[in-house]
Each structure stands twice: as C-alpha cells, then as structure tokens.
Amino acid sequence: MEKNVTQDYLSLREQTQSRDRSLRNKVMTLEEACGFVSDGEHVSLGGSTASRTPFAMVWALIRARKKNLSFSRSIVSTEGDLIFASGIGNHILTSWFSQGIVWGVSRVMRHFTENRLARFEEWSHMSIGLRYRAGAMGVPFMPMRSMMGSDVAAQLDNLEEMTCPFTGEKILLVPALNPDVALIHVQRCDPYGNAQLDGLTFMDIDMAMAANRVIITTERIISNDQIRRRPDHTKIPFFTVDAVVEAPYGCAPHECFGVYEPLFPHMDYYAELTRKEPMEGVKAYLDEYYYAPENWTEYLNLIGLDKLLDAARRGRSIYDD
Amino acid sequence: MTIETKDFTASELLCVMSARALEDGQVVFAGVGIPLLAATLAQRLHAPGVTILFEGGTIGPHVVPGQLPPTTNEQRCTRKANMLVSITEVLLLLQRGYVDVGFMGGAQIDQYGNLNSSFIGSADDPSVRLPGTGGGNDISSLTRMIVAMPQEKRRFVENVDFITSPGYVRGGTSRRDSGLIAGGMYRVVTDLAILGFDEETGRMRVEALHPGVTPEQAQENTGFELIIDSSVGTTEPPTEEELAALRHLDPDKVYTA
C-alpha cells in the first residue's frame, strides 16, 4: 500500500516552514536533482499525455534505479510504461494511460495491470485536478459534482459523498493530494527557480503549490533580471522550487510548447517496438535509450538530430500564425 | 451494409453526421478523434460560431487542416484560440454550466448510454485493461452528451462491463438519484443511425436511420433491443461539400481511415 498523500494540515505547514525559502542558486545536474527523490515517495509529473512531459528527470530517476515510487499525472503516456518496466514504481494514479489514442492501447500497461504486477489507479481527470488544487490551497478536500453513479468512483476507497449543508444536494468530496515531489519541465527558469511557462499549463501550477518539493527542468536557464522584466510570465514562484536543471529538449520525444512538437517518428518506433512483444520491446528500449547513454546529450544523439530539428521547426511554427 | 456503393467510408459518414448534430453558437467540449474532427468540420460548414473547448485547456481554437493533434493536449490544439487555461479550469467550465454539448467517442456503450473505456471483463480480473476515463467521466456527468461511435454488436451491449462515463446509469431516475442532477445522454451518432434516449426509461431509441439502412440492420448491429418507431425518418446523405471539407481537414486520414 502506497503512503497516504493527503497530509494533515500542521505537518504540511511544518514541512513548508522548514524549507529554505530564500532567494538562492539551485542550479544542479539531473543526477544531483535525483537526491531530492527518495525511494517510496509520491512523485507527480507535470504536463499531460505527450506535452511537457518531464522526461529528462524521469530518465534520470530510472538510471538512478529508484525504488517503490508512486506516481500521479493528469494523463500518462509512455513514461508510465517506462516507470513500470524499469521497476522504479509500481503504482500510477491517473485518468488515462496509453501513449496516445492514435497509437492504440499500451501493451506494456496491459501487461503490468492485467497480470497485477503494478497498479493503475483510475480517477476522473477533473478529480485529479481538484485533488492537486486542494493540496495547493491547504484544505483537506474539494467538493465536486462528477464521478457519482459511476464505477470509477465505486472502485475507489478514499472518496466520500455528502449532503451539502447549504443546499441539500448530494456532492462528492475528493481528498487533497500533496506529492512529496513534483517534476515539472518549463521553457525558461532562473537559477532561483522562478519558472516561466508558455502555452498550456495543464495542472502544473497547482501541482507545484501542492508539492513538498519541486524539481524544475528547463529548456534554458535565464537570468533573474530577465525574469523581472516579465514577472507576469512567471507561473511558479522560486520558493516552491528546490532544484533547477537545464535540460534542452527535456521532453523529447514529447512536446514542449512553442519549442518543439512531439517527435512522431520516434513515438511510432516505440509503439511498433512494443506492439508484438511488449516486455522485450520495452526492455530493449530502456537498454538502448536509458541505460546505455553517458548523458542526456547522448540520449538526444540517439534519438537523432534530424528528428529533433524537424520537431523544433514544427514547434516554433505556431508563432508564424 | 447498403451504403457501400456510396463514395465515402463509414468513419467519414460518422464524422459528417455528428458534425451536423452541432448547432451554430454552441459551446462544445470535444474529445480526441472523431469529435475533434467533427467539431472542426461543423465550424467550417454550418456552424462557424461554434466554440470548441479542448481538455488540455483551450477555449475556441481553430485546428489547422492537415495538422490534426493526436491528443487534445498538444500545441496543435491551441491554434487561433481565444484563451488557454489549465485542465482543471476548462473542466470546471462544464461544472459551472457554460457548455452546451459534450462530444466524445466511445469504445463500449449500453442501453442506458453508459460508456466503458476502462475494462473489458471484470475490473478485478479484466481480459483487457483499457486506457481509462480521461475527462470522459467528468464530461458525461456534467453536460448534455453527444457520442460518436461505430455501431457494432460487440460495442453496443445490454450492460457495460464497467460504467466509466455515466449515461442514465440503470435507467429511470437512477442518474439523478446518484447525484448527477444535470446533463445526460442526448444523442449517439453511429455509421447506421442517429440514436436518442427515451425520457422516462432512459433507454436507447432510434431517432433516424442513415440512407439505405433498415430498422432490422440497426437492430442486428445492437446487442440489446432498440426502441424503433415504425415511422422513423432517414437522414440526408453526406454532401460533396461536406466530404470535400472533411478530406481537406484530414488528408492523411488520421481519424477517418
């Protein structure tokens, strides 16, 4: 059984108060940032499906051979396959889990869940968002109006229905989710952790505010002076952040808004590799792309400059409209 | 199939027929696949004032022809949009009541319009673990729903194995009694017919058949008894203009193969 991710208020505050919230340099390597994640903890992943997936940090955690991690994300794509297959985690809380609808149902996810080797805990998409939001607000639950009457709710044991004391209507309560660590990839961040996000923010801001630690990976590190020129673009404040890692193409083979689109040929390749023999395929993929490379740059080299440049051309094209 | 002589595929028919189900001026929460494509098609034909919402957090986008997004979370979903918000905010628009139509695909549906996208077989020991609800449960819980899916006996079952996205639950007042006091299934658009639901029982009924489809065919492709009125009408076949616009949007047949 994974640890309880809904914390009592005073322990949550105490943990926050004990963090060094000063404006200080937090720049480090992917390997050093792994030190902020301990075995058995709950890790939330920013982005959604194939967008702004914090792949560089997931890659580093897999290489660091972490154990018994529990994960949550709004929608889980191939990183979920790799989490299960590498053995760093055997529990993922999400609303949807497969590479993407055009690639069909993940055979790796099926292998692990149907053989009960790992758990895919299914919540509605909005309920996950409200759980992070409750965590961000410092309240123990949020009321909501979906999921009632469904088997999604019937499968879950940490839900409560109540009668609204003001209107008498039936309402569902979902518990706060305060992750131990959130991994979030952004376009720009300064050395202190002021993170600027372009495009779709998914659940990342609530997630950062809910978490007890935040690791930011960023396409590029910019100066604090640049941040202060456009403070309205800063979406995650520095005092929530513990580590800042520069990881160019840090979502590859997924997308980073305005910088690169998904690397579709690589995603097609992965889907094909895992279609017939899911376990052999995913193990070969881990060996080739996760364990073999010396560093992140070598990983990107393996994916291929041509594919990265093509994705970058498509990614930047949205600014041509 | 009697429509095989026509010059379009079943998924093109599905797309055109479901696009027609949208009205100009509506706010439409569209899921990935046929709904995304059909909502964009409606926007380019009879309903230029349709406002599309995508689950990734987009308000009012215009998807670029030939650049269909593979999920509703990519930057391709944000082209020429009015606003980008978080996933939680866009889903809360459903709860707040700003949405006219929730528009989704489906893997398995039953007589009460309940959708299953979680498990084939029992949830405890499934024969197939499917990808899950995504926003489907929230959309179907909180607004009036149109579902687009092919009509096949294995997909149209008496009772779904697992209620991922609730329709009329067990019929009658059971949806309302469970706490879902707003929204509900409105239409299921298939490659054979337009289906609706009986107001009293919540059971599925045929609203109209597509050209050349007989009531018997609709029934044969359904795993439960459909309510079919003997005077049921027929839809108009897809026009050349509709098909041309659709093929312009999806030239690589990402969603209309």
Side-chain angles (χ1 to χ4, degrees), chain A:
Chain A
M1 191 66 195
E2 65 276 0
K3 66 194 288 276
N4 186 3
V5 288
T6 309
Q7 273 180 272
D8 77 83
Y9 182 52
L10 287 179
S11 89
L12 182 68
R13 271 187 78 112
E14 199 180 326
Q15 222 169 323
T16 304
Q17 290 282 316
S18 69
R19 295 164 76 182
D20 179 351
R21 283 162 282 133
S22 65
L23 202 66
R24 63 196 162 84
N25 187 334
K26 297 160 189 168
V27 176
M28 60 187 78
T29 64
L30 286 172
E31 290 72 24
E32 287 166 339
C34 285
F36 286 92
V37 182
S38 299
D39 291 347
E41 288 193 322
H42 185 95
V43 181
S44 291
L45 305 175
S48 191
T49 332
S51 291
R52 274 195 312 93
T53 308
F55 250 128
M57 204 55 221
V58 171
W59 179 86
L61 292 176
I62 288 174
R63 288 158 61 89
R65 314 242 178 207
K66 296 287 178 184
K67 285 191 181 64
N68 298 320
L69 298 175
S70 177
F71 288 84
S72 61
R73 193 182 189 208
S74 74
I75 286 177
V76 165
S77 177
T78 303
E79 74 283 0
D81 289 2
L82 301 171
I83 284 164
F84 282 167
S86 67
I88 66 167
N90 57 10
H91 169 241
I92 296 179
L93 185 164
T94 191
S95 68
W96 200 90
F97 184 166
S98 273
Q99 181 162 246
I101 198 165
V102 295
W103 292 279
V105 184
S106 162
R107 302 299 297 236
V108 177
M109 177 277 282
R110 286 191 54 193
H111 172 84
F112 278 94
T113 54
E114 289 167 15
N115 294 306
R116 301 178 201 209
L117 302 169
R119 195 153 78 96
F120 160 16
E121 182 182 341
E122 182 176 338
W123 288 68
S124 86
H125 208 182
M126 190 170 82
S127 71
I128 296 173
L130 292 176
R131 293 192 63 184
Y132 288 135
R133 178 151 302 173
M137 290 171 68
V139 295
F141 62 83
M142 284 290 279
M144 60 179 280
R145 295 182 185 275
S146 63
M147 279 212 287
M148 293 180 285
S150 74
D151 289 325
V152 179
Q155 282 270 302
L156 297 166
D157 52 15
N158 46 350
L159 284 174
E160 287 292 334
E161 274 183 17
M162 77 168 288
T163 303
C164 169
F166 304 106
T167 63
E169 293 163 356
K170 203 185 268 191
I171 203 104
L172 188 75
L173 309 183
V174 295
L177 202 167
N178 289 108
D180 293 305
V181 194
L183 314 181
I184 296 171
H185 186 84
V186 302
Q187 286 87 356
R188 298 173 303 283
C189 186
D190 75 4
Y192 308 132
N194 288 299
Q196 296 195 334
L197 262 170
D198 297 331
L200 296 161
T201 56
F202 305 114
M203 298 180 180
D204 294 9
I205 298 165
D206 284 334
M207 187 185 291
M209 302 307 291
N212 283 304
R213 267 162 272 142
V214 176
I215 299 171
I216 298 284
T217 53
T218 178
E219 288 297 315
R220 44 189 199 105
I221 292 174
I222 61 173
S223 70
N224 181 250
D225 286 343
Q226 283 199 57
I227 291 283
R228 288 177 195 272
R229 268 176 221 136
R230 297 304 304 269
D232 53 317
H233 286 211
T234 307
K235 303 289 169 66
I236 296 171
F238 71 94
F239 47 67
T240 66
V241 175
D242 300 88
V244 177
V245 183
E246 191 167 69
Y249 292 96
C251 307
H254 287 175
E255 164 177 301
C256 183
F257 189 100
V259 189
Y260 44 93
E261 278 202 341
L263 285 72
F264 293 120
H266 189 86
M267 293 173 76
D268 293 343
Y269 161 76
Y270 175 83
E272 196 49 47
L273 189 66
T274 51
R275 201 180 314 273
K276 286 214 178 74
E277 296 292 341
M279 288 313 292
E280 278 176 36
V282 72
K283 290 219 154 89
Y285 186 85
L286 281 168
D287 283 341
E288 185 174 358
Y289 290 94
Y290 278 65
Y291 301 124
E294 284 283 314
N295 50 44
W296 183 248
T297 305
E298 207 170 289
Y299 165 86
L300 296 176
N301 262 334
L302 285 171
I303 285 181
L305 184 62
D306 53 341
K307 292 187 185 70
L308 291 166
L309 291 179
D310 170 62
R313 181 188 52 74
R314 289 184 279 116
R316 288 189 294 256
S317 73
I318 52 164
Y319 294 119
D320 298 341
D321 279 355

Side-chain angles (χ1 to χ4, degrees), chain B residues 22-252:
Chain B
L22 303 179
E23 294 164 28
D24 200 18
Q26 286 181 325
V27 178
V28 178
F29 201 109
V32 74
I34 296 275
L36 179 154
L37 187 55
T40 304
L41 182 65
Q43 209 177 34
R44 290 175 159 259
L45 293 172
H46 64 280
V50 152
T51 295
I52 297 174
L53 304 182
F54 286 139
E55 201 166 328
T58 315
I59 298 178
H62 291 76
V63 169
V64 176
Q67 296 181 31
L68 299 178
T71 81
T72 51
N73 299 312
E74 271 86 42
Q75 65 176 31
R76 290 180 175 196
C77 295
T78 67
R79 302 299 282 270
K80 295 187 165 65
N82 288 310
M83 187 177 182
L84 304 185
V85 296
S86 74
I87 288 172
T88 311
E89 295 308 326
V90 82
L91 288 165
L92 284 170
L93 292 173
L94 292 158
Q95 183 166 284
R96 179 64 180 80
Y98 279 104
V99 179
D100 294 298
V101 176
F103 192 10
M104 281 168 48
Q108 190 187 54
I109 194 167
D110 70 16
Q111 57 183 331
Y112 299 116
N114 300 305
L115 291 161
N116 174 21
S117 56
S118 300
F119 300 94
I120 301 295
S122 81
D124 295 331
D125 190 16
S127 58
V128 182
R129 181 47 159 126
L130 295 170
T133 160
N137 176 285
D138 303 307
I139 302 167
S140 66
S141 294
L142 298 170
T143 195
R144 196 174 68 141
M145 282 286 292
I146 298 177
V147 174
M149 60 188 286
Q151 195 163 341
E152 298 164 14
K153 210 161 196 161
R154 65 183 182 97
R155 290 175 180 271
F156 281 66
V157 299
E158 190 155 26
N159 293 298
V160 288
D161 294 333
F162 186 92
I163 300 179
T164 308
S165 304
Y168 293 105
V169 189
R170 297 290 168 225
T173 60
S174 59
R175 176 183 168 100
R176 180 174 296 267
D177 297 343
S178 71
L180 304 178
I181 56 178
M185 281 289 154
Y186 172 61
R187 289 286 182 268
V188 181
V189 180
T190 77
D191 48 346
L192 301 180
I194 309 286
L195 307 161
F197 293 87
D198 182 78
E199 289 78 10
E200 289 282 305
T201 62
R203 284 185 56 232
M204 200 183 283
R205 73 170 175 231
V206 179
E207 301 288 333
L209 295 165
H210 295 330
V213 179
T214 64
E216 292 72 29
Q217 272 178 304
Q219 183 58 67
E220 277 163 24
N221 286 281
T222 306
F224 53 88
E225 199 180 332
L226 280 170
I227 305 169
I228 310 182
D229 193 293
S230 55
S231 64
V232 70
T234 306
T235 59
E236 291 296 319
T239 65
E240 278 183 29
E241 187 201 7
E242 286 170 323
L243 290 170
L246 178 58
R247 287 163 189 167
H248 176 62
L249 280 175
D250 190 12
D252 304 323

